[in-house]
Amino acid sequence: MRRTALAALCAAASAAGLAACGGGEDSTAVAPARGAATPIVAERGLSWVALPEAYDIKELPGDRVIQGELRNNTGEPVDLRVDQVDVRDTGGKPLRISVRFAQAFGHALYGPGGPPAPLEASRYDQARLGERVTLPSGETQPITLAWREQDGVAADSVKVSGYELELPR
Amino acid sequence: MYRPLLIVLAVCLVFVASASAHPERPTAFPTGDADVPKYRSKGPSQVVCKADSRKRIQKAFRGKGPKNTRLRKVRYRVLKRCKFEHIQAAVDAAKSGDRILILPGVYKEEPSRAFEHNKPSCGELFDPGDGHGKYATYAYQLKCPNSRNLIFIGGDQNDDGTCDEKCDLQVEGLGRKPTDVLIEGDRLKEDVIRADRADGIYIKNVHTDQGSFNAIDVVETNGFRLGDLEATWSQNYGVLSFTSDNGLYEDIEAYGNGDSGIYPGSGPETHCNGYGIEIRRVNSHGNVLGYSGTAGNGTFVHDSNFSNNSAGISDDSFASGHPGMPQDCSKWEGNKINSNNVNYFELDNQQYCAKTPFEDRPRERVCPQFQVPVGSGFILYGVNDNLFINNEITDNWRSGARLFWVPATIRGENDPAKQTDTSNGNKFMGNMMGVTMSGERAPNGIDFFWDEQGERNCWQANKAFGDQQPTSDPAPLPSCPGSPFKLVGNISKLAQEVPCATWNPDTNQMPVGCTWFTTPPKPR
């Protein structure tokens, strides 16, 4: 019962980007949800809580998307910014991506002329929308990442704020 | 069979997607009882006219029949009392309870246009950095009514939050139809008409056009009525109300707006005890969205038509700064939501829009101000306890109705207990899906598309063509009363909508991984 309550809180907090799921062995108390992979052993640095599954996007051949959760095992806060995510193919070529440190679509308030440019909304909005988030050590943060493969060459790796992570196939 | 997984399973599966919202100063819902204003044909009035009004009256009511003759004569008599050439001047002279009678003509409000937009001496525009965006305070609007509005109707003269002057105004065009009185925006000032804390306002029988933001904007107003209107070709919204209550939208045609035709946002917090805003006989077409309502609570929308937009209707809980979150307790009955497949997101249109400011575009060019999944009827993101009854939802090539969860953090609330407080208790009953009321087949891409999240969502007695059942993903859908448990979303659906959040009309017109902006093939 206690584990269940903890898991519920963890899930809710994670949805909020509050990082309550992060750190230590407690994170294994959370049952995987549909589509999520088995939790993986935490590594030093920035790592996946569980290696996410990559989905093809039927209408966009070559585009793939993942949704997962990052854990900060660096021992210090990490500044996560959408302009510091880099996906490369097996030939080392950078790929076009869409990324948010969030699980959900969200948007800024649009005045006349539409939305602000990336990373130009208020810091409040950048955090709310998952454009820029400071991830404390030991905590977790959701991420949704799409990339476009070109000429049939597969994506190979992703770097987030300088930390290299495995990219699911 | 969907699985009744408890929300406690979660680790974060989520998902999702769209609708609009607009920046406004911090506002509060009006308090106290109020009624929807009744039409008054008598009482004190201020009359506005143009030099050619007599000629226009003659043209609008030509004919020797008794009705035309009478209506013409009435207007000629009114014309003799005309004291004002500009509507703002008549508003300035008006007292509570007055009628403002506008004779046929084109009203450009030249003195208002001449007032500098965002004049520095009017005061600062605030950007508190909390996600509200830049806004003008009420005091700013009082000090400089025409800095950001062509016509400003401010009911609260001492800025204490209540209407104390210019309440219960009836602003009425005296043409045969709305287009006989054209109020033309300057494409620079945000609102063509702004009614602010103007309790009892009734705006009737005029055509408002070319707002840089909104054609008609009703804010913090208790008791309002917007009827027999056309609202066209504004950069964002046609007719908008915000933190207002006891209102009626009726007989409105809204088209060509870059966000939505109508927007009853931050609607009344009725908590499902009645409806505070009624919307009837609205025809909203040719916009990016026919209707949108961030925190569009407590509305009863019926006998209206939201067709031939990029998407028909959006209700959502996306944005911060909107009182009344999360959205809940609206009813949709007997509406037509058809053929919302107009794609304003074609790359060439977006590229043109990106390089051409609103004021330099042709009048009838729609540039999308908000991202939507083209080809959708209802797009419902983070909404609760709404009823969708007996609507005709056809020929939307992507989906008839989409229902997705939005976690509270997206609207700026990080309380863990609130994160699954949306996408619960919505009922879809007796709707005609992919088949018209007259029995013609007009399929949607898929009738219902659901992320499988939430509790008490249910679908029952919806009809399809012939003996068929409505199509859905997942199939089947829970019948009413729906799952008593909070279900967990399907990550493959959730993840695929997030890339569309990176859309930007200037810098990222076709985001990687976003399928929304390609017109889906016509379903067979």
Side-chain angles (χ1 to χ4, degrees), chain A residues 11-12 14-16 18 30-31 33-34 55 63 67 69 98 103-105 109-110 113-114 116 124 128, chain B residues 3 9-17 130-131 369 371 409-410 414 416 419 452 488 491 512-513:
Chain A
S14 178
L18 289 182
V30 180
R34 278 187 292 171
Y55 298 98
D63 284 15
Q67 187 169 93
E69 197 165 4
S98 294
Q103 298 169 297
F105 177 97
L109 296 178
Y110 298 179
Y124 169 90
R128 181 173 69 84
Chain B
R3 291 180 290 165
L9 292 180
V11 180
C12 338
L13 299 192
V14 189
F15 90 96
V16 197
D130 64 357
Q369 299 295 296
Q371 64 265 57
T409 189
I410 294 294
N414 292 331
Q419 297 310 313
E452 306 166 45
V488 173
I491 197 170
V512 167

mmCIF file of all heavy atoms in Angstrom, chain A residues 11-12 14-16 18 30-31 33-34 55 63 67 69 98 103-105 109-110 113-114 116 124 128, chain B residues 3 9-17 130-131 369 371 409-410 414 416 419 452 488 491 512-513:
data_model
loop_
_atom_site.group_PDB
_atom_site.id
_atom_site.type_symbol
_atom_site.label_atom_id
_atom_site.label_comp_id
_atom_site.label_asym_id
_atom_site.label_seq_id
_atom_site.Cartn_x
_atom_site.Cartn_y
_atom_site.Cartn_z
ATOM 1 N N ALA A 11 4.452 9.354 -9.870
ATOM 2 C CA ALA A 11 3.949 9.549 -11.231
ATOM 3 C C ALA A 11 3.431 10.958 -11.410
ATOM 4 O O ALA A 11 3.716 11.623 -12.399
ATOM 5 C CB ALA A 11 2.825 8.548 -11.503
ATOM 6 N N ALA A 12 2.683 11.412 -10.429
ATOM 7 C CA ALA A 12 2.123 12.756 -10.530
ATOM 8 C C ALA A 12 3.222 13.799 -10.530
ATOM 9 O O ALA A 12 3.213 14.733 -11.311
ATOM 10 C CB ALA A 12 1.158 12.991 -9.377
ATOM 11 N N SER A 14 6.220 13.409 -11.422
ATOM 12 C CA SER A 14 6.960 13.327 -12.662
ATOM 13 C C SER A 14 6.243 14.068 -13.768
ATOM 14 O O SER A 14 6.838 14.782 -14.565
ATOM 15 C CB SER A 14 7.149 11.866 -13.049
ATOM 16 O OG SER A 14 7.815 11.794 -14.253
ATOM 17 N N ALA A 15 4.914 13.900 -13.789
ATOM 18 C CA ALA A 15 4.141 14.632 -14.785
ATOM 19 C C ALA A 15 4.346 16.122 -14.606
ATOM 20 O O ALA A 15 4.329 16.890 -15.546
ATOM 21 C CB ALA A 15 2.661 14.277 -14.654
ATOM 22 N N ALA A 16 4.525 16.519 -13.366
ATOM 23 C CA ALA A 16 4.705 17.940 -13.101
ATOM 24 C C ALA A 16 6.139 18.392 -13.354
ATOM 25 O O ALA A 16 6.445 19.560 -13.257
ATOM 26 C CB ALA A 16 4.339 18.222 -11.652
ATOM 27 N N LEU A 18 8.514 17.601 -11.461
ATOM 28 C CA LEU A 18 9.003 17.963 -10.146
ATOM 29 C C LEU A 18 10.126 17.072 -9.653
ATOM 30 O O LEU A 18 10.681 17.291 -8.608
ATOM 31 C CB LEU A 18 7.857 17.899 -9.122
ATOM 32 C CG LEU A 18 6.814 18.985 -9.263
ATOM 33 C CD1 LEU A 18 5.781 18.837 -8.161
ATOM 34 C CD2 LEU A 18 7.443 20.360 -9.207
ATOM 35 N N VAL A 30 8.403 2.251 -8.887
ATOM 36 C CA VAL A 30 7.379 2.670 -9.836
ATOM 37 C C VAL A 30 7.190 1.607 -10.908
ATOM 38 O O VAL A 30 8.125 1.218 -11.587
ATOM 39 C CB VAL A 30 7.777 3.996 -10.498
ATOM 40 C CG1 VAL A 30 6.694 4.417 -11.472
ATOM 41 C CG2 VAL A 30 7.980 5.047 -9.436
ATOM 42 N N ALA A 31 5.968 1.136 -11.039
ATOM 43 C CA ALA A 31 5.704 0.144 -12.081
ATOM 44 C C ALA A 31 5.761 0.789 -13.456
ATOM 45 O O ALA A 31 5.350 1.928 -13.616
ATOM 46 C CB ALA A 31 4.323 -0.458 -11.852
ATOM 47 N N ALA A 33 4.728 1.895 -17.057
ATOM 48 C CA ALA A 33 3.446 2.116 -17.709
ATOM 49 C C ALA A 33 3.500 1.569 -19.126
ATOM 50 O O ALA A 33 4.546 1.152 -19.602
ATOM 51 C CB ALA A 33 3.143 3.597 -17.730
ATOM 52 N N ARG A 34 2.338 1.580 -19.765
ATOM 53 C CA ARG A 34 2.291 1.026 -21.110
ATOM 54 C C ARG A 34 3.268 1.738 -22.038
ATOM 55 O O ARG A 34 3.281 2.957 -22.127
ATOM 56 C CB ARG A 34 0.883 1.168 -21.673
ATOM 57 C CG ARG A 34 -0.021 0.077 -21.205
ATOM 58 C CD ARG A 34 -1.315 0.150 -21.907
ATOM 59 N NE ARG A 34 -2.047 1.346 -21.507
ATOM 60 C CZ ARG A 34 -3.157 1.751 -22.096
ATOM 61 N NH1 ARG A 34 -3.614 1.097 -23.135
ATOM 62 N NH2 ARG A 34 -3.784 2.797 -21.671
ATOM 63 N N TYR A 55 9.208 5.273 -31.605
ATOM 64 C CA TYR A 55 8.042 5.017 -32.451
ATOM 65 C C TYR A 55 8.240 5.633 -33.824
ATOM 66 O O TYR A 55 8.698 6.774 -33.947
ATOM 67 C CB TYR A 55 6.782 5.612 -31.816
ATOM 68 C CG TYR A 55 6.452 5.000 -30.476
ATOM 69 C CD1 TYR A 55 6.824 5.632 -29.297
ATOM 70 C CD2 TYR A 55 5.806 3.778 -30.398
ATOM 71 C CE1 TYR A 55 6.544 5.059 -28.068
ATOM 72 C CE2 TYR A 55 5.517 3.191 -29.172
ATOM 73 C CZ TYR A 55 5.892 3.842 -28.018
ATOM 74 O OH TYR A 55 5.618 3.272 -26.801
ATOM 75 N N ASP A 63 10.887 9.974 -39.772
ATOM 76 C CA ASP A 63 10.769 10.646 -38.474
ATOM 77 C C ASP A 63 10.464 9.613 -37.389
ATOM 78 O O ASP A 63 9.649 8.710 -37.591
ATOM 79 C CB ASP A 63 9.648 11.681 -38.488
ATOM 80 C CG ASP A 63 10.042 12.953 -39.233
ATOM 81 O OD1 ASP A 63 11.058 12.911 -39.963
ATOM 82 O OD2 ASP A 63 9.338 13.960 -39.107
ATOM 83 N N GLN A 67 9.656 9.118 -25.948
ATOM 84 C CA GLN A 67 9.308 9.863 -24.739
ATOM 85 C C GLN A 67 9.856 9.075 -23.554
ATOM 86 O O GLN A 67 9.531 7.898 -23.385
ATOM 87 C CB GLN A 67 7.810 10.032 -24.610
ATOM 88 C CG GLN A 67 7.420 10.935 -23.459
ATOM 89 C CD GLN A 67 5.955 11.310 -23.485
ATOM 90 O OE1 GLN A 67 5.138 10.643 -22.868
ATOM 91 N NE2 GLN A 67 5.609 12.370 -24.201
ATOM 92 N N GLU A 69 12.453 9.515 -19.663
ATOM 93 C CA GLU A 69 12.732 10.314 -18.480
ATOM 94 C C GLU A 69 14.227 10.276 -18.188
ATOM 95 O O GLU A 69 14.845 9.208 -18.195
ATOM 96 C CB GLU A 69 11.949 9.767 -17.290
ATOM 97 C CG GLU A 69 11.863 10.750 -16.167
ATOM 98 C CD GLU A 69 10.781 10.353 -15.161
ATOM 99 O OE1 GLU A 69 10.175 9.281 -15.337
ATOM 100 O OE2 GLU A 69 10.572 11.107 -14.218
ATOM 101 N N SER A 98 13.004 17.778 -32.964
ATOM 102 C CA SER A 98 12.083 18.577 -32.139
ATOM 103 C C SER A 98 12.221 18.024 -30.730
ATOM 104 O O SER A 98 12.145 16.809 -30.537
ATOM 105 C CB SER A 98 10.630 18.402 -32.593
ATOM 106 O OG SER A 98 10.433 18.921 -33.886
ATOM 107 N N GLN A 103 6.315 16.098 -21.106
ATOM 108 C CA GLN A 103 5.566 14.950 -21.606
ATOM 109 C C GLN A 103 4.401 15.383 -22.467
ATOM 110 O O GLN A 103 3.717 14.546 -23.040
ATOM 111 C CB GLN A 103 4.990 14.164 -20.428
ATOM 112 C CG GLN A 103 6.034 13.604 -19.509
ATOM 113 C CD GLN A 103 5.369 13.082 -18.262
ATOM 114 O OE1 GLN A 103 4.764 13.830 -17.512
ATOM 115 N NE2 GLN A 103 5.478 11.787 -18.036
ATOM 116 N N ALA A 104 4.117 16.661 -22.468
ATOM 117 C CA ALA A 104 2.875 17.109 -23.069
ATOM 118 C C ALA A 104 3.079 18.342 -23.910
ATOM 119 O O ALA A 104 3.970 19.149 -23.653
ATOM 120 C CB ALA A 104 1.871 17.410 -21.967
ATOM 121 N N PHE A 105 2.202 18.471 -24.859
ATOM 122 C CA PHE A 105 2.128 19.705 -25.621
ATOM 123 C C PHE A 105 1.760 20.841 -24.681
ATOM 124 O O PHE A 105 0.903 20.696 -23.809
ATOM 125 C CB PHE A 105 1.041 19.562 -26.686
ATOM 126 C CG PHE A 105 0.803 20.805 -27.497
ATOM 127 C CD1 PHE A 105 1.406 20.956 -28.725
ATOM 128 C CD2 PHE A 105 -0.023 21.803 -27.025
ATOM 129 C CE1 PHE A 105 1.186 22.101 -29.473
ATOM 130 C CE2 PHE A 105 -0.245 22.948 -27.765
ATOM 131 C CZ PHE A 105 0.354 23.092 -28.996
ATOM 132 N N LEU A 109 1.632 32.053 -24.020
ATOM 133 C CA LEU A 109 0.493 32.877 -24.410
ATOM 134 C C LEU A 109 0.893 33.636 -25.662
ATOM 135 O O LEU A 109 1.940 34.263 -25.707
ATOM 136 C CB LEU A 109 0.130 33.835 -23.283
ATOM 137 C CG LEU A 109 -0.343 33.144 -22.007
ATOM 138 C CD1 LEU A 109 -0.630 34.163 -20.928
ATOM 139 C CD2 LEU A 109 -1.565 32.294 -22.275
ATOM 140 N N TYR A 110 0.048 33.525 -26.659
ATOM 141 C CA TYR A 110 0.383 34.137 -27.938
ATOM 142 C C TYR A 110 -0.318 35.479 -28.066
ATOM 143 O O TYR A 110 -1.535 35.535 -28.125
ATOM 144 C CB TYR A 110 -0.073 33.252 -29.097
ATOM 145 C CG TYR A 110 0.563 31.883 -29.189
ATOM 146 C CD1 TYR A 110 0.179 31.016 -30.195
ATOM 147 C CD2 TYR A 110 1.540 31.462 -28.300
ATOM 148 C CE1 TYR A 110 0.739 29.757 -30.313
ATOM 149 C CE2 TYR A 110 2.101 30.207 -28.403
ATOM 150 C CZ TYR A 110 1.693 29.346 -29.415
ATOM 151 O OH TYR A 110 2.241 28.109 -29.529
ATOM 152 N N GLY A 113 0.599 38.205 -33.497
ATOM 153 C CA GLY A 113 1.832 37.816 -34.169
ATOM 154 C C GLY A 113 2.320 36.433 -33.787
ATOM 155 O O GLY A 113 3.281 35.936 -34.361
ATOM 156 N N GLY A 114 1.667 35.804 -32.824
ATOM 157 C CA GLY A 114 2.003 34.426 -32.522
ATOM 158 C C GLY A 114 2.990 34.260 -31.392
ATOM 159 O O GLY A 114 3.202 35.180 -30.595
ATOM 160 N N PRO A 116 6.345 33.516 -28.950
ATOM 161 C CA PRO A 116 7.721 34.012 -28.894
ATOM 162 C C PRO A 116 8.676 33.010 -29.513
ATOM 163 O O PRO A 116 8.355 31.831 -29.637
ATOM 164 C CB PRO A 116 7.975 34.160 -27.395
ATOM 165 C CG PRO A 116 7.003 33.230 -26.745
ATOM 166 C CD PRO A 116 5.813 33.143 -27.644
ATOM 167 N N TYR A 124 9.729 31.521 -16.650
ATOM 168 C CA TYR A 124 8.589 30.749 -16.133
ATOM 169 C C TYR A 124 8.010 29.886 -17.252
ATOM 170 O O TYR A 124 7.774 28.687 -17.092
ATOM 171 C CB TYR A 124 7.545 31.725 -15.607
ATOM 172 C CG TYR A 124 6.204 31.116 -15.275
ATOM 173 C CD1 TYR A 124 5.934 30.619 -14.004
ATOM 174 C CD2 TYR A 124 5.199 31.048 -16.236
ATOM 175 C CE1 TYR A 124 4.698 30.069 -13.702
ATOM 176 C CE2 TYR A 124 3.964 30.503 -15.942
ATOM 177 C CZ TYR A 124 3.714 30.015 -14.684
ATOM 178 O OH TYR A 124 2.489 29.472 -14.393
ATOM 179 N N ARG A 128 7.837 25.896 -17.811
ATOM 180 C CA ARG A 128 6.503 25.284 -17.924
ATOM 181 C C ARG A 128 6.378 24.479 -19.215
ATOM 182 O O ARG A 128 5.791 23.390 -19.233
ATOM 183 C CB ARG A 128 5.456 26.405 -17.904
ATOM 184 C CG ARG A 128 4.030 25.986 -17.987
ATOM 185 C CD ARG A 128 3.089 27.173 -17.795
ATOM 186 N NE ARG A 128 3.097 28.132 -18.878
ATOM 187 C CZ ARG A 128 2.371 28.010 -19.992
ATOM 188 N NH1 ARG A 128 1.596 26.975 -20.158
ATOM 189 N NH2 ARG A 128 2.423 28.926 -20.942
ATOM 190 N N ARG B 3 -7.628 -1.430 -20.949
ATOM 191 C CA ARG B 3 -7.336 -1.987 -19.638
ATOM 192 C C ARG B 3 -7.529 -0.942 -18.546
ATOM 193 O O ARG B 3 -7.003 0.158 -18.624
ATOM 194 C CB ARG B 3 -5.893 -2.474 -19.625
ATOM 195 C CG ARG B 3 -5.694 -3.691 -20.504
ATOM 196 C CD ARG B 3 -4.266 -4.132 -20.467
ATOM 197 N NE ARG B 3 -3.415 -3.173 -21.145
ATOM 198 C CZ ARG B 3 -2.097 -3.158 -21.029
ATOM 199 N NH1 ARG B 3 -1.491 -4.017 -20.257
ATOM 200 N NH2 ARG B 3 -1.378 -2.282 -21.696
ATOM 201 N N LEU B 9 -0.020 3.495 -11.777
ATOM 202 C CA LEU B 9 0.996 2.816 -12.570
ATOM 203 C C LEU B 9 1.971 3.787 -13.169
ATOM 204 O O LEU B 9 2.978 3.408 -13.719
ATOM 205 C CB LEU B 9 0.335 2.000 -13.673
ATOM 206 C CG LEU B 9 -0.463 0.812 -13.171
ATOM 207 C CD1 LEU B 9 -1.061 0.089 -14.356
ATOM 208 C CD2 LEU B 9 0.422 -0.119 -12.397
ATOM 209 N N ALA B 10 1.616 4.919 -13.253
ATOM 210 C CA ALA B 10 2.323 5.832 -14.103
ATOM 211 C C ALA B 10 3.780 5.915 -14.308
ATOM 212 O O ALA B 10 4.169 6.094 -14.981
ATOM 213 C CB ALA B 10 1.895 7.206 -13.736
ATOM 214 N N VAL B 11 4.713 6.103 -14.215
ATOM 215 C CA VAL B 11 5.944 6.735 -14.482
ATOM 216 C C VAL B 11 5.817 7.625 -15.673
ATOM 217 O O VAL B 11 6.499 7.389 -16.562
ATOM 218 C CB VAL B 11 7.045 5.809 -14.885
ATOM 219 C CG1 VAL B 11 8.274 6.588 -15.131
ATOM 220 C CG2 VAL B 11 7.235 4.790 -13.876
ATOM 221 N N CYS B 12 4.936 8.422 -15.793
ATOM 222 C CA CYS B 12 5.145 9.403 -16.782
ATOM 223 C C CYS B 12 4.836 9.035 -18.171
ATOM 224 O O CYS B 12 5.699 9.061 -18.989
ATOM 225 C CB CYS B 12 6.552 9.769 -16.850
ATOM 226 S SG CYS B 12 7.437 9.443 -15.448
ATOM 227 N N LEU B 13 3.702 8.737 -18.458
ATOM 228 C CA LEU B 13 3.424 8.464 -19.831
ATOM 229 C C LEU B 13 2.634 9.568 -20.285
ATOM 230 O O LEU B 13 1.686 9.659 -19.972
ATOM 231 C CB LEU B 13 2.458 7.382 -19.903
ATOM 232 C CG LEU B 13 3.038 6.259 -19.312
ATOM 233 C CD1 LEU B 13 2.220 5.131 -19.627
ATOM 234 C CD2 LEU B 13 4.391 6.161 -19.811
ATOM 235 N N VAL B 14 2.847 10.349 -20.983
ATOM 236 C CA VAL B 14 1.887 11.297 -21.269
ATOM 237 C C VAL B 14 1.942 11.723 -22.665
ATOM 238 O O VAL B 14 2.556 11.141 -23.387
ATOM 239 C CB VAL B 14 2.081 12.431 -20.435
ATOM 240 C CG1 VAL B 14 0.947 13.309 -20.614
ATOM 241 C CG2 VAL B 14 2.216 11.926 -19.095
ATOM 242 N N PHE B 15 1.619 12.645 -22.889
ATOM 243 C CA PHE B 15 1.372 13.018 -24.203
ATOM 244 C C PHE B 15 1.036 14.341 -24.867
ATOM 245 O O PHE B 15 0.622 14.958 -24.631
ATOM 246 C CB PHE B 15 0.214 12.747 -24.301
ATOM 247 C CG PHE B 15 0.019 14.077 -23.845
ATOM 248 C CD1 PHE B 15 -0.202 15.140 -24.680
ATOM 249 C CD2 PHE B 15 0.216 14.375 -22.508
ATOM 250 C CE1 PHE B 15 -0.379 16.332 -24.258
ATOM 251 C CE2 PHE B 15 -0.002 15.596 -22.148
ATOM 252 C CZ PHE B 15 -0.315 16.543 -23.022
ATOM 253 N N VAL B 16 0.723 14.904 -25.397
ATOM 254 C CA VAL B 16 -0.125 15.729 -26.154
ATOM 255 C C VAL B 16 -0.302 17.094 -26.886
ATOM 256 O O VAL B 16 0.148 17.683 -27.158
ATOM 257 C CB VAL B 16 -1.152 16.113 -25.507
ATOM 258 C CG1 VAL B 16 -2.047 16.579 -26.536
ATOM 259 C CG2 VAL B 16 -1.598 15.378 -24.440
ATOM 260 N N ALA B 17 -1.234 17.753 -26.959
ATOM 261 C CA ALA B 17 -1.566 18.797 -27.894
ATOM 262 C C ALA B 17 -2.377 20.051 -28.080
ATOM 263 O O ALA B 17 -2.053 20.800 -28.401
ATOM 264 C CB ALA B 17 -2.043 18.152 -28.950
ATOM 265 N N ASP B 130 5.748 35.875 -15.762
ATOM 266 C CA ASP B 130 5.096 34.697 -15.201
ATOM 267 C C ASP B 130 4.227 33.984 -16.225
ATOM 268 O O ASP B 130 3.390 33.163 -15.880
ATOM 269 C CB ASP B 130 4.247 35.083 -13.996
ATOM 270 C CG ASP B 130 3.101 36.004 -14.388
ATOM 271 O OD1 ASP B 130 3.012 36.376 -15.561
ATOM 272 O OD2 ASP B 130 2.302 36.349 -13.509
ATOM 273 N N GLY B 131 4.439 34.322 -17.468
ATOM 274 C CA GLY B 131 3.718 33.616 -18.509
ATOM 275 C C GLY B 131 2.465 34.326 -18.985
ATOM 276 O O GLY B 131 1.799 33.864 -19.892
ATOM 277 N N GLN B 369 -2.124 31.783 -36.305
ATOM 278 C CA GLN B 369 -1.523 32.328 -35.083
ATOM 279 C C GLN B 369 -1.368 31.247 -34.033
ATOM 280 O O GLN B 369 -0.859 31.497 -32.953
ATOM 281 C CB GLN B 369 -2.412 33.446 -34.542
ATOM 282 C CG GLN B 369 -2.571 34.600 -35.487
ATOM 283 C CD GLN B 369 -1.273 35.320 -35.727
ATOM 284 O OE1 GLN B 369 -0.697 35.897 -34.818
ATOM 285 N NE2 GLN B 369 -0.775 35.266 -36.941
ATOM 286 N N GLN B 371 -1.120 26.719 -33.559
ATOM 287 C CA GLN B 371 -1.004 25.438 -34.240
ATOM 288 C C GLN B 371 -2.169 24.519 -33.905
ATOM 289 O O GLN B 371 -2.519 24.374 -32.735
ATOM 290 C CB GLN B 371 0.337 24.776 -33.925
ATOM 291 C CG GLN B 371 0.590 24.371 -32.494
ATOM 292 C CD GLN B 371 1.349 25.393 -31.700
ATOM 293 O OE1 GLN B 371 0.921 26.538 -31.599
ATOM 294 N NE2 GLN B 371 2.459 24.977 -31.095
ATOM 295 N N THR B 409 1.013 20.807 -14.740
ATOM 296 C CA THR B 409 2.238 21.596 -14.847
ATOM 297 C C THR B 409 2.242 22.466 -16.095
ATOM 298 O O THR B 409 2.824 23.548 -16.116
ATOM 299 C CB THR B 409 3.475 20.672 -14.826
ATOM 300 O OG1 THR B 409 4.640 21.456 -14.724
ATOM 301 C CG2 THR B 409 3.559 19.813 -16.063
ATOM 302 N N ILE B 410 1.545 22.029 -17.120
ATOM 303 C CA ILE B 410 1.497 22.810 -18.360
ATOM 304 C C ILE B 410 0.770 24.137 -18.136
ATOM 305 O O ILE B 410 1.062 25.136 -18.783
ATOM 306 C CB ILE B 410 0.805 21.994 -19.474
ATOM 307 C CG1 ILE B 410 1.647 20.769 -19.850
ATOM 308 C CG2 ILE B 410 0.525 22.840 -20.702
ATOM 309 C CD1 ILE B 410 2.972 21.080 -20.494
ATOM 310 N N ASN B 414 2.139 23.022 -10.233
ATOM 311 C CA ASN B 414 3.033 21.889 -10.035
ATOM 312 C C ASN B 414 2.657 20.976 -8.875
ATOM 313 O O ASN B 414 3.375 20.037 -8.556
ATOM 314 C CB ASN B 414 4.466 22.392 -9.851
ATOM 315 C CG ASN B 414 5.012 22.986 -11.125
ATOM 316 O OD1 ASN B 414 4.622 22.581 -12.227
ATOM 317 N ND2 ASN B 414 5.886 23.971 -11.007
ATOM 318 N N PRO B 416 1.667 18.002 -7.102
ATOM 319 C CA PRO B 416 1.578 16.621 -7.591
ATOM 320 C C PRO B 416 0.155 16.072 -7.581
ATOM 321 O O PRO B 416 -0.224 15.287 -8.444
ATOM 322 C CB PRO B 416 2.475 15.843 -6.629
ATOM 323 C CG PRO B 416 3.449 16.846 -6.120
ATOM 324 C CD PRO B 416 2.694 18.135 -6.041
ATOM 325 N N GLN B 419 -1.900 16.609 -10.947
ATOM 326 C CA GLN B 419 -1.369 16.290 -12.271
ATOM 327 C C GLN B 419 -2.290 15.445 -13.140
ATOM 328 O O GLN B 419 -2.164 15.421 -14.353
ATOM 329 C CB GLN B 419 0.016 15.643 -12.143
ATOM 330 C CG GLN B 419 1.046 16.578 -11.529
ATOM 331 C CD GLN B 419 1.094 17.946 -12.190
ATOM 332 O OE1 GLN B 419 1.124 18.025 -13.416
ATOM 333 N NE2 GLN B 419 1.083 19.009 -11.413
ATOM 334 N N GLU B 452 -6.668 7.491 -24.208
ATOM 335 C CA GLU B 452 -6.958 6.391 -23.275
ATOM 336 C C GLU B 452 -6.718 6.757 -21.815
ATOM 337 O O GLU B 452 -6.640 5.909 -20.944
ATOM 338 C CB GLU B 452 -6.186 5.126 -23.673
ATOM 339 C CG GLU B 452 -6.446 4.738 -25.126
ATOM 340 C CD GLU B 452 -5.477 3.715 -25.684
ATOM 341 O OE1 GLU B 452 -5.208 2.733 -24.978
ATOM 342 O OE2 GLU B 452 -5.010 3.905 -26.818
ATOM 343 N N VAL B 488 -4.382 5.077 -17.577
ATOM 344 C CA VAL B 488 -3.101 5.640 -17.984
ATOM 345 C C VAL B 488 -3.082 5.789 -19.502
ATOM 346 O O VAL B 488 -3.587 4.936 -20.224
ATOM 347 C CB VAL B 488 -1.958 4.724 -17.533
ATOM 348 C CG1 VAL B 488 -0.635 5.202 -18.100
ATOM 349 C CG2 VAL B 488 -1.900 4.692 -16.015
ATOM 350 N N ILE B 491 1.330 5.772 -24.553
ATOM 351 C CA ILE B 491 2.515 6.601 -24.801
ATOM 352 C C ILE B 491 2.764 6.830 -26.288
ATOM 353 O O ILE B 491 3.255 7.879 -26.689
ATOM 354 C CB ILE B 491 3.759 5.986 -24.115
ATOM 355 C CG1 ILE B 491 4.869 7.021 -24.017
ATOM 356 C CG2 ILE B 491 4.242 4.757 -24.831
ATOM 357 C CD1 ILE B 491 6.027 6.578 -23.134
ATOM 358 N N VAL B 512 9.961 18.883 -37.157
ATOM 359 C CA VAL B 512 10.261 17.450 -37.273
ATOM 360 C C VAL B 512 9.329 16.676 -36.346
ATOM 361 O O VAL B 512 9.083 17.079 -35.204
ATOM 362 C CB VAL B 512 11.733 17.186 -36.867
ATOM 363 C CG1 VAL B 512 11.978 15.694 -36.666
ATOM 364 C CG2 VAL B 512 12.687 17.762 -37.906
ATOM 365 N N GLY B 513 8.764 15.609 -36.869
ATOM 366 C CA GLY B 513 7.936 14.741 -36.047
ATOM 367 C C GLY B 513 6.505 15.209 -35.857
ATOM 368 O O GLY B 513 5.728 14.537 -35.184
#
